[in-house]
Amino acid sequence: MVLSVNERTFTQEVLESSVPVLVNFEAPWCGLCRIIHPLLLQFQAECGDELKLVGVNADQNFKLSNTYRLKSLPTLLLIEKGIVKQRLEGFPGKDDLRQALEAIKLTYTSHEKIDIAGVRGQGARGSF
């Protein structure tokens, strides 16, 4: 299940998140939004706790839509430490989205695991 955020909870759930967040700006009337939803759920399951997926109803959160200058729906923003690292919009099909999500997953999931292992290894050596 995708966590639904709004203008009131966006700062805490997205901008202050300890892990990178993929924000899905969508709307109930958007057909492509419904089509990509299963892909996003699969992506979330594959990434586990290393990436967070949230949804924002663009129609009900006009200030956020305006702040992030949405031109089309769906628009996906990868936000890390409050900074937009990647923007995905206007993808022609599911395969394009799948490739972009795979690239994101590889970047963040392998990067995090390497960093954690490196920190643990350094800490163990330094304590002897």
Side-chain angles (χ1 to χ4, degrees):
M1 187 167 150
V2 177
L3 175 65
S4 181
V5 298
N6 56 38
E7 291 164 356
R8 192 172 36 82
T9 60
F10 191 84
T11 298
Q12 179 183 356
E13 294 293 341
V14 177
L15 301 179
E16 297 174 352
S17 176
S18 60
V19 296
V21 182
L22 184 63
V23 182
N24 178 25
F25 284 93
E26 58 191 348
W29 51 263
C30 172
L32 186 54
C33 298
R34 287 191 300 271
I35 291 171
I36 69 164
H37 192 78
L39 284 176
L40 294 175
L41 290 175
Q42 180 183 2
F43 172 74
Q44 180 185 28
E46 290 170 359
C47 291
D49 295 337
E50 296 176 29
L51 284 170
K52 184 185 208 181
L53 175 65
V54 302
V56 176
N57 183 320
D59 289 343
Q60 294 177 349
N61 296 281
F62 185 72
K63 286 181 184 177
L64 287 174
S65 299
N66 200 26
T67 298
Y68 290 100
R69 297 190 166 125
L70 300 186
K71 298 175 188 164
S72 63
L73 293 179
T75 293
L76 303 171
L77 301 179
L78 180 65
I79 299 178
E80 183 178 16
K81 297 178 183 170
I83 299 167
V84 177
K85 296 288 189 173
Q86 194 166 356
R87 183 180 189 106
L88 303 172
E89 61 185 348
F91 36 86
K94 289 183 355 180
D95 288 336
D96 297 303
L97 175 61
R98 187 176 286 121
Q99 288 175 350
L101 292 176
E102 281 298 316
I104 290 170
K105 183 175 68 172
L106 288 174
T107 300
Y108 283 94
T109 56
S110 61
H111 173 69
E112 292 296 320
K113 288 176 185 170
I114 291 168
D115 283 352
I116 291 169
V119 169
R120 285 186 187 144
Q122 289 173 357
R125 282 192 298 269
S127 63
F128 286 112

